[in-house]
Amino acid sequence: METLTHANPVIIVIFGAAGDLTWRKLVPALYTLFVAGWLPEHFAIIGLDRKEMGNEEFRAHLRTGASQFSRCERPDDPSWQSFSSHLTYRPADFDSPDAYRALCGMLDETCSRWDSDAFIIYYLATPPAQFEVIPRQLAAAGLARDRTGSRIVVEKPFGRDLESAKALNKALTAVFDESQIFRIDHYLGKETVQNILAFRFANALFEPIWDRRYIDHVQITVAERIGIEHRGPYYEHTGALRDMIQNHLIQLLCLIAMEPPVSFDADEIRNKMTDVLHAIRPIHPDHVHESAVRGQYGDGWIAGERVPAYRAEPGVAPDSTIETFAAIRFFVDNWRWQDIPFYMRTGKRLPARISEVVIQFRPVPHQSFPATAIRDWQPNRLVLRIQPDEGILLRFQAKRPGLRVNLSSVDMHFLYREAFRAKPPEAYETLLVDVMLGDPTLFKRTDQIEAAWSIMTPILEAWEMSAPPDFPNYAAGTWIVEPAEVLIAQDGRNWLMPAAIEQQGEQEEEQKKEKEG
């Protein structure tokens, strides 16, 4: 198995190390990589945060996170002791030069102990307010001088609109070269998202029909069952469009719509994705209501449990107009996709946690079967399922067994857990390895960030200037958000039930028939 055991030493400095992201995602991913041999022989993880805490308390806290969220089995004492010996914590005020002078000493001491230079990765797992402060302080302390030996990772949200994103990019590029900046979007680290490239460009079957001649429309759904999970103050300044569509969903659209790359070079892939962003038809502020709608959940029932409305969540204003649901119709104005709609929707407190892309093909040009044979007929459909049960599903028509001709939809599916008998790596595992290797393919460049915000900012501005809908306008636990239904119905289409839910319903129906029979 390929590993990084003999790679260059690396030091990962996590700003915000006492926070939820480090506990839930970063350290569980790093521990899994350590167990699998994907960390170099010499590595160190230095955690910095405002909280007063010692090394042992820090390590014990992170072990509980690794126990819950690592792909490995519950950490045993020997493996955790070996891993945690590389963990160090130091309280730090990110606004104070003293913190960076102390960090400089820690880095020098670590490299001296190894008798070797090391790659330094600065990971900003902090609130966005620190995204400009930390690089500036790193530069002032002389910690960003080495353009080949240091990298910085920036989490989302990357700005709140186009102007703030430009300001943040300017602050980062004043200190680091573009090649050193890794703007992370964990969705691009998911196996099925990466598999979109393999599916399209490593097979001869689908690319010839991957255009406006054969595809009717595309639907992208990212649904969450959870609410805001005590993140009211954060979500009140973000909303569904900034939180999900501006980054996760728009990246999925780019992977589906991009032209074939000449090579798998990082900049070639990102160039093709950026071309899609530039081709997306701008939505005029006066017509935003025709192409973009929003919603906010009220109280309701999920999995037999009563859940509160968004406005009743902690930290949320009782008259909040922040959207917890958004649906948008985009068009990509180029030869491949002209006038083919891309519908995307995302929301909190929906019935299930599901992420998938549906490519709906056009109907056959001539239906030669008798009407009695096609009562259950459906157009061909390709479903790229990102979660749960990562995989790809192809729906087509087949004759049902019997003496008469009756067509029915059947599914051909590929699931990772069945095909490879292994659980796919977590997104952060993939992305952290890429940062260590210096591979920016799955990370966003300055032009990508700004192109995405140029699409979204007019929508946000129009929503801020117009009277908000009568919130709440959908009940927790339902798929039906009326403005979104109207949005797609005006084109003579409808939202497709997620494949996982549809299959579950079919299985329950079959079990019911078996019992009755």
Side-chain angles (χ1 to χ4, degrees), residues 10-324:
V10 63
I11 302 173
I12 303 173
V13 181
I14 303 177
F15 292 87
D20 187 67
L21 177 65
T22 303
W23 181 74
R24 184 187 293 265
K25 295 292 185 182
L26 299 184
V27 167
L30 289 166
Y31 174 69
T32 301
L33 294 173
F34 170 77
V35 172
W38 276 97
L39 293 184
E41 181 179 0
H42 292 303
F43 77 94
I45 301 168
I46 299 174
L48 304 176
D49 215 327
R50 297 178 186 276
K51 184 177 181 180
E52 290 292 335
M53 183 167 35
N55 279 337
E56 291 309 313
E57 183 183 355
F58 179 60
R59 293 168 181 173
H61 168 66
L62 295 181
R63 183 170 185 172
T64 63
S67 297
Q68 293 184 49
F69 301 109
S70 169
R71 275 198 306 133
C72 301
E73 296 180 359
R74 186 178 181 88
D76 57 47
D77 287 337
S79 63
W80 178 258
Q81 291 302 324
S82 180
F83 172 75
S84 65
S85 67
H86 299 265
L87 296 172
T88 305
Y89 181 82
R90 184 180 183 91
D93 178 355
F94 301 149
D95 298 313
S96 170
D98 292 341
Y100 300 86
R101 283 193 287 268
L103 173 61
C104 188
M106 295 174 74
L107 297 175
D108 288 343
E109 188 276 329
T110 302
C111 290
S112 177
R113 176 160 37 91
W114 293 339
D115 193 24
S116 172
D117 292 332
F119 280 112
I120 313 297
I121 296 171
Y122 302 110
Y123 200 114
L124 273 54
T126 65
Q130 300 294 329
F131 288 175
E132 294 185 40
V133 173
I134 294 171
R136 185 170 64 248
Q137 293 282 12
L138 288 171
L143 291 171
R145 291 174 184 164
D146 187 352
R147 291 290 173 112
T148 60
S150 61
R151 295 162 189 151
I152 187 166
V153 183
V154 186
E155 276 282 346
K156 76 175 185 72
F158 197 93
R160 284 183 46 80
D161 52 24
L162 179 58
E163 289 307 312
S164 61
K166 284 182 175 180
L168 179 51
N169 276 326
K170 184 177 180 180
L172 286 169
T173 54
V175 177
F176 295 93
D177 185 76
E178 178 67 34
S179 63
Q180 297 175 275
I181 303 170
F182 289 74
R183 302 167 186 84
I184 198 165
D185 181 346
H186 74 273
Y187 251 65
L188 293 183
K190 292 180 180 291
E191 280 290 311
T192 311
V193 173
Q194 297 177 71
N195 211 34
I196 293 172
L197 294 175
F199 181 79
R200 285 190 60 191
F201 304 129
N203 299 293
L205 295 175
F206 294 102
E207 191 59 25
I209 59 171
W210 204 267
D211 61 35
R212 64 187 306 276
R213 295 171 299 166
Y214 299 100
I215 292 176
D216 180 78
H217 71 281
V218 178
Q219 295 187 20
I220 302 174
T221 297
V222 176
E224 297 181 281
R225 177 181 283 188
I226 61 172
I228 57 170
E229 293 191 306
H230 305 288
R231 295 189 305 154
Y234 163 79
Y235 209 81
E236 279 286 88
H237 290 89
T238 307
L241 192 143
R242 288 186 176 96
D243 190 42
M244 297 297 291
I245 292 182
Q246 187 275 334
N247 40 70
H248 301 332
L249 277 75
I250 204 73
Q251 296 301 313
L252 292 175
L253 187 156
C254 289
L255 289 170
I256 296 298
M258 65 185 279
E259 292 298 316
V262 173
S263 69
F264 213 71
D265 175 76
D267 274 330
E268 172 68 3
I269 297 292
R270 296 193 291 180
N271 287 342
K272 297 300 185 184
M273 294 177 70
T274 306
D275 286 345
V276 175
L277 294 171
H278 290 315
I280 290 178
R281 185 183 303 173
I283 300 175
H284 191 277
D286 292 342
H287 301 288
V288 164
H289 66 282
E290 299 171 4
S291 300
V293 298
R294 47 186 164 160
Q296 186 188 95
Y297 65 82
D299 59 3
W301 293 87
I302 294 182
E305 180 182 349
R306 188 79 178 179
V307 296
Y310 173 73
R311 291 177 173 179
E313 300 275 16
V316 173
D319 58 350
S320 173
T321 58
I322 291 296
E323 80 282 357
T324 62

Side-chain angles (χ1 to χ4, degrees), residues 206 361 380-383 392-396 410-414:
F206 294 102
F361 291 92
N380 299 134
R381 185 182 306 168
L382 181 68
V383 181
I392 299 171
L393 178 149
L394 178 63
R395 177 160 297 176
F396 58 95
V410 293
D411 295 335
M412 182 184 297
H413 70 261
F414 148 69

Side-chain angles (χ1 to χ4, degrees), residues 1-7 33 35-40 433-434 437 439:
M1 183 179 90
E2 183 184 4
T3 69
L4 296 182
T5 302
H6 300 292
L33 294 173
V35 172
W38 276 97
L39 293 184
V433 168
D434 285 351
L437 293 174
D439 182 352

Side-chain angles (χ1 to χ4, degrees), residues 26 41 53 55 61 78 144 190 196 293 323 352 368 375-376 420 449 474 478-479 493 495 513:
L26 299 184
E41 181 179 0
M53 183 167 35
N55 279 337
H61 168 66
K190 292 180 180 291
I196 293 172
V293 298
E323 80 282 357
S368 57
R375 284 176 294 191
D376 297 326
F420 300 118
I449 290 283
Y474 72 97
T478 179
W479 288 111
R493 299 181 177 93
W495 293 106
K513 288 180 180 178

Side-chain angles (χ1 to χ4, degrees), residues 368-388:
S368 57
F369 295 95
T372 55
I374 58 172
R375 284 176 294 191
D376 297 326
W377 181 88
Q378 297 178 19
N380 299 134
R381 185 182 306 168
L382 181 68
V383 181
L384 307 172
R385 186 186 296 164
I386 298 164
Q387 63 185 24

Side-chain angles (χ1 to χ4, degrees), residues 162 165-166 169 445-455:
L162 179 58
K166 284 182 175 180
N169 276 326
R445 288 186 318 212
T446 294
D447 55 344
Q448 288 176 282
I449 290 283
E450 294 181 3
W453 274 120
S454 69
I455 296 165

